[in-house]
């Protein structure tokens, strides 16, 4: 119980930090990428606090901001994928599965683009996108689609493990995806 209170307090402080940044910088055209990332982080804080409506509202603002950023802007693809994954994940929790599927597919396709797909950060987001799609299809009991999405997630996670063998977060993601895939195969 005490750790949960500390965690919530830290999340509230993070929320205040991101809100202060946005209040000061949101309309600055030179800070659009940073503002979108701040909104993404704020949405993640709200997701962690189980404030899904607030998370969706903030992540939709991030999505709108991403839509205004030129695709040629450095970091655009990564931001696009992370925002769409984040919003898709929260929408899954609120049972808005059709919209979540659309967003996660967009994220997966963007992350799979040949010109950016082999960076560690994009492999991670691609694996995450497909993993979330697999979970969505399992909720719908669409087993063939779930197996395909989980297979895609597993392929990317294994490539990520080879690319970043000492990164614990990436190793944890790979283990999670392997477990999800094994569980899915048992259900079939």
């Amino acid at each position: 119980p005490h750790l949960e209170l500390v965690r919530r307090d830290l999340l509230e402080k993070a929320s205040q930090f991101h809100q202060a940044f946005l209040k000061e910088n949101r309309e600055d055209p030179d800070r659009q990428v940073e503002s979108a990332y701040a909104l993404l982080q704020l949405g993640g804080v709200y997701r962690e606090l189980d404030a899904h409506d607030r998370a969706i509202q903030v992540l939709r603002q991030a999505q709108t901001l991403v839509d205004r950023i030129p695709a040629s802007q450095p970091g655009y693809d990564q931001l696009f994928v992370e925002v769409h994954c984040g919003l898709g994940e929260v929408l899954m929790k609120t049972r808005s599965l059709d919209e979540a599927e659309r967003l996660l597919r967009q994220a997966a396709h963007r992350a799979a683009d040949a010109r950016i797909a082999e960076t560690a950060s994009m492999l991670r987001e691609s694996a995450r996108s497909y993993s979330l799609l697999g979970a969505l299809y399992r909720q719908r009991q669409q087993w063939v689609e779930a197996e395909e999405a989980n297979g895609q997630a597993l392929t990317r996670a294994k490539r990520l493990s080879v690319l970043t063998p000492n990164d614990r977060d990436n190793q944890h993601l790979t283990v999670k995806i392997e477990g999800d895939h094994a569980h899915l195969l048992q259900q079939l």
Side-chain angles (χ1 to χ4, degrees), residues 17-32:
F17 171 80
H18 291 301
Q19 288 173 0
F21 175 86
L22 289 164
K23 186 175 182 180
E24 192 172 308
N25 296 292
R26 179 182 253 155
E27 299 304 319
D28 184 347
D30 295 330
R31 312 272 326 244
Q32 286 182 320

Side-chain angles (χ1 to χ4, degrees), residues 53-137:
D53 290 340
R54 289 174 76 187
I56 290 169
Q57 178 186 15
V58 167
L59 290 167
R60 286 194 195 286
Q61 291 172 16
Q63 184 182 28
T64 299
L65 193 53
V66 167
D67 289 344
R68 293 194 319 230
I69 297 171
S72 60
Q73 176 94 11
Y76 172 82
D77 292 311
Q78 180 80 28
L79 181 60
F80 179 95
V81 171
E82 288 187 37
V83 167
H84 282 69
C85 268
L87 183 54
E89 185 175 8
V90 176
L91 288 169
M92 281 177 60
K93 291 180 181 195
T94 64
R95 309 292 290 165
S96 300
L97 299 182
D98 290 340
E99 185 178 5
E101 179 184 12
R102 181 181 58 78
L103 291 166
L104 292 169
R105 284 186 169 282
Q106 288 175 345
H109 289 293
R110 174 74 61 155
D113 187 322
R115 67 189 165 85
I116 57 174
E118 292 304 317
T119 65
S121 59
M122 289 307 280
L123 270 173
R124 179 178 173 76
E125 290 305 315
S126 182
R128 181 172 167 239
S129 309
Y130 280 111
S131 178
L132 288 167
L133 273 171
L136 183 145
Y137 292 134

